[in-house]
Amino acid sequence: MAQQYSSSSWSCNLSKMAGLALCLLVMLSYASSSYARLLLNRTRGGFMVSREAHRRNLLDNGLGHTPPMGWNSWNHFACNIKEDLIRETADAMVSTGLAALGYQYINIDDCWGELNRDSKGNLVPKASTFPSGMKALADYIHKKGLKLGIYSDAGNQTCSKTMPGSLGHEKQDAKTFASWGIDYLKYDNCENNNISPKERYPPMSEALANTGRPIFFSLCEWGSEDPATWAKSVGNSWRTTGDIEDKWESMISRADLNDKWASCAGPGGWNDPDMLEVGNGGMTTEEYRAHFSIWALAKAPLLIGCDIRALDATTKELLSNNEVIAVNQDKLGVQGKKVKSNNDLEVWAGPLSNNKVAVILWNRSSSKAKVTASWSDIGLKPGTSVKARDLWAHSTQSSVSGEISSELDSHACKMYVLSPN
């Protein structure tokens, strides 16, 4: 599959090289000053070592070796959240069997806190909606065998403007989150004083690491400064796009924007095209099937965005497909990507462990059409014979050679795992 990933790798590495070159030019232009020489020495030595050591720590703490799976409150509930909802969601995560499939994070999004900090400068859970406090809620979640996520912002206020952000309070807030037993932090990008995210996000990363508690760090930077090129030394995932909406056009645009950065993701750090909309009602079953399939192939975080206390059978079936989940959680950790597109007839593919290949045939056109992936499209040698496992039909073709194709309804997809015979 190496040939399919060269252009994305080039764009990722080119951005990194450009940034490094710019830093060196600035420092060389001031080379006569002792401060510039100090900066240069730090870049050559301690600072880079420190960043690499911090990066190793992110990997060594056991977080993000595969993309995170769980639930987030925002897509369905927005600001209408309270502790009873969070507890009931945790209960449902277990009772529906989703927890057993790997969905482990119960993530509270914006609007959980009071408008102002307390007299000591601490964030305070909103008394009217989280009266028991976050420590009690975390204890409840943990007893279910699940993990609790929370939300803050790398700015003066959160995006809802109903609670403070953490800019300038990173150490204090990280300690607070750790003391509550938080396991995941989504860190947004509003009210940011026009300061570069490259300056605002690392302080929280370091503060979280210094708490000694493993906390998954999710940068919600919206892709504004190409975080795929720099955030892997800062967090465990980074948003490559703006917010998703529960609409076909929004979903496919997020998939395409995220695809550009495929080569930049891997174990410990993942591209994030935003949360799942499956089950929220704005798309058809086939569109949701494609949504879930593409997110799985692209090694995106699988964060459910619907009300899992009220799952219908179809939504539960989509979210519970353990064969599709296995592609997302494959230990090789290579993000699959779009390898062929012709008049909205697309092939997406990526390598898996044990020389297997995941393939999605996707009809994004407005009418029924046949979509074909030839072996050259997906990096297989011409004479290779494979077993083709259809992950949605749960059926297997024992000997397929040269290509695989399917007649697909508008917006429908097929997803396969190909195993060489």
Side-chain angles (χ1 to χ4, degrees), residues 316-334:
K316 183 179 178 182
E317 181 185 2
L318 291 175
L319 296 172
S320 299
N321 189 321
N322 61 346
E323 295 190 73
V324 176
I325 291 169
V327 170
N328 180 260
Q329 297 291 299
D330 183 75
K331 299 302 182 185
L332 188 62
V334 175

Side-chain angles (χ1 to χ4, degrees), residues 2-41:
Q3 63 189 17
Q4 306 296 346
Y5 289 81
S6 58
S7 62
S8 178
S9 178
W10 174 247
S11 64
C12 184
N13 291 330
L14 183 62
S15 296
K16 291 176 181 174
M17 288 187 290
L20 179 59
L22 180 60
C23 289
L24 290 172
L25 281 172
V26 170
M27 287 186 284
L28 288 171
S29 69
Y30 291 96
S32 60
S33 75
S34 59
Y35 181 60
R37 286 195 297 273
L38 175 62
L39 280 177
L40 190 58
N41 289 336

Side-chain angles (χ1 to χ4, degrees), residues 106-345:
I106 304 294
N107 292 347
I108 305 168
D109 210 279
D110 202 351
C111 311
W112 58 265
E114 295 286 5
L115 179 62
N116 298 307
R117 295 173 179 269
D118 68 14
S119 60
K120 295 181 180 179
N122 294 312
L123 293 170
V124 183
K126 198 170 183 178
S128 62
T129 50
F130 291 88
S132 302
M134 289 299 172
K135 179 66 168 66
L137 188 55
D139 289 345
Y140 184 90
I141 299 295
H142 293 154
K143 286 176 183 177
K144 294 281 180 181
L146 302 170
K147 296 181 178 181
L148 182 64
I150 209 164
Y151 167 99
S152 189
D153 187 282
N156 297 326
Q157 286 186 309
T158 64
C159 293
S160 68
K161 299 186 180 181
T162 63
M163 53 179 290
S166 292
L167 186 64
H169 295 265
E170 293 87 357
K171 291 181 181 179
Q172 184 174 13
D173 292 353
K175 288 179 181 178
T176 296
F177 298 148
S179 72
W180 289 343
I182 297 299
D183 305 293
Y184 183 115
L185 175 64
K186 176 182 175 181
Y187 204 43
D188 220 334
N189 197 27
C190 289
E191 306 300 312
N192 58 41
N193 296 340
N194 294 317
I195 301 170
S196 169
K198 295 176 185 177
E199 296 180 40
R200 288 180 290 108
Y201 281 83
M204 180 56 84
S205 174
E206 293 165 17
L208 291 173
N210 288 336
T211 67
R213 180 174 181 80
I215 299 176
F216 188 103
F217 189 34
S218 170
L219 286 70
C220 185
E221 182 262 20
W222 318 326
S224 62
E225 288 195 24
D226 299 338
T229 64
W230 54 267
K232 201 160 189 176
S233 63
V234 179
N236 299 108
S237 69
W238 45 86
R239 280 277 293 280
T240 54
T241 73
D243 288 359
I244 195 171
E245 296 178 60
D246 188 20
K247 301 174 183 176
W248 166 256
E249 294 78 9
S250 176
M251 184 271 286
I252 63 172
S253 70
R254 299 309 177 264
D256 291 343
L257 288 167
N258 186 66
D259 184 52
K260 176 181 178 181
W261 305 108
S263 69
C264 301
W270 306 101
N271 292 319
D272 178 8
D274 206 6
M275 300 165 291
L276 294 166
E277 292 283 8
V278 178
N280 278 329
M283 288 184 260
T284 67
T285 298
E286 289 304 328
E287 290 168 348
Y288 281 141
R289 192 190 316 277
H291 178 18
F292 192 67
S293 299
I294 292 293
W295 261 236
L297 181 85
K299 303 299 189 289
L302 296 182
L303 297 175
I304 298 169
C306 67
D307 185 355
I308 62 173
R309 302 171 306 168
L311 287 182
D312 60 44
T314 300
T315 302
K316 183 179 178 182
E317 181 185 2
L318 291 175
L319 296 172
S320 299
N321 189 321
N322 61 346
E323 295 190 73
V324 176
I325 291 169
V327 170
N328 180 260
Q329 297 291 299
D330 183 75
K331 299 302 182 185
L332 188 62
V334 175
Q335 179 174 327
K337 67 185 308 266
K338 187 186 305 191
V339 297
K340 181 181 179 181
S341 180
N342 182 20
N343 296 324
D344 287 329
L345 307 181

